[in-house]
Amino acid sequence: MKKTDKHPFSRKLICLALALLLLAGASLTGAQAQSVPDFADEVLRLVNIERANAGLPPLLPHANLSAAALIRAQEVVTLQAHTRPDGRSWNTVLSDFGIAHSFAGENIAFGFHNPAGIVAAWLESPTHRANILRPEFTHLGVGAFNANGNVYWAQLFITAPGNSGTNTIFNTSWPANPANWVSFFMGFGWVWMWFIQPF
């Protein structure tokens, strides 16, 4: 005699609950994402220590520049490049915030969980170090954004108006953490197996 499932609806409800939990993983990491202003302040302090050691004047904080850097740190979650997710160059964030400048540069990264670690890593990279120790730069904005279990970083350097010319400096970044995509596809697989595909 063929055994029948006496509780097919209950089984479906359990599977649906598991699927929703997995699918919620990606959106949950987004809900937990947040800026880390203390980290940004510490990066500025550490950078100025290095500049002092090199005989350079300190970089000054700049409220709008810090806001722009936070936007760039959030964008790095989506795209680890000096191109923004909408296809524009990174330096368009400066015009978005109405930030006047003669020179500008950007450092981005992720995967370093504290200011000392990220500053040390940037200083070990010749191109990133060049931005940090560039004599012409006068102001620094730092963005630190916590998402997907990583901290995403952006530094925006500018020279205050007064010097002629324009200079934008492009540096390197690290690949993204795909954990949220794994949760999404696992959850979709449960939905397909138990609700879309016929029994």
Side-chain angles (χ1 to χ4, degrees):
M1 179 182 294
K2 185 178 178 180
K3 186 176 180 180
T4 60
D5 189 348
K6 296 181 179 179
H7 306 286
F9 185 70
S10 297
R11 184 173 65 153
K12 286 187 177 184
L13 283 178
I14 293 171
C15 292
L16 178 59
L18 290 172
L20 290 176
L21 284 173
L22 287 167
L23 286 170
S27 60
L28 178 60
T29 57
Q32 293 174 335
Q34 57 186 333
S35 65
V36 192
D38 291 344
F39 279 11
D41 293 341
E42 180 65 5
V43 167
L44 177 61
R45 189 185 73 84
L46 294 172
V47 164
N48 280 334
I49 289 174
E50 294 299 324
R51 286 178 66 88
N53 291 340
L56 298 171
L59 297 173
L60 301 176
H62 186 298
N64 280 355
L65 196 59
S66 294
L70 181 56
I71 292 296
R72 286 294 295 131
Q74 293 171 356
E75 292 177 345
V76 171
V77 177
T78 302
L79 180 64
Q80 295 75 48
H82 297 286
T83 301
R84 304 179 69 183
D86 63 6
R88 294 184 295 160
S89 174
W90 68 268
N91 57 353
T92 59
V93 75
L94 301 176
S95 58
D96 288 351
F97 280 81
I99 299 170
H101 61 282
S102 298
F103 297 84
E106 176 182 73
N107 288 342
I108 59 174
F110 87 97
F112 299 87
H113 295 282
N114 58 71
I118 187 57
V119 172
W122 276 329
L123 289 170
E124 290 174 1
S125 165
T127 50
H128 294 85
R129 183 182 182 89
N131 272 346
I132 290 171
L133 299 181
R134 187 179 180 94
E136 294 87 350
F137 287 144
T138 58
H139 294 78
L140 173 62
V142 180
F145 192 72
N146 190 354
N148 306 329
N150 281 312
V151 180
Y152 296 79
W153 305 88
Q155 287 181 315
L156 292 178
F157 305 83
I158 64 165
T159 301
N163 291 359
S164 61
T166 302
N167 185 28
T168 54
I169 302 167
F170 300 88
N171 300 128
T172 56
S173 57
W174 288 264
N177 184 343
N180 56 330
W181 287 104
V182 172
S183 294
F184 176 83
F185 285 115
M186 287 179 65
F188 182 79
W190 277 96
V191 172
W192 174 262
M193 289 173 59
W194 296 105
F195 296 97
I196 301 175
Q197 182 176 324
F199 283 94

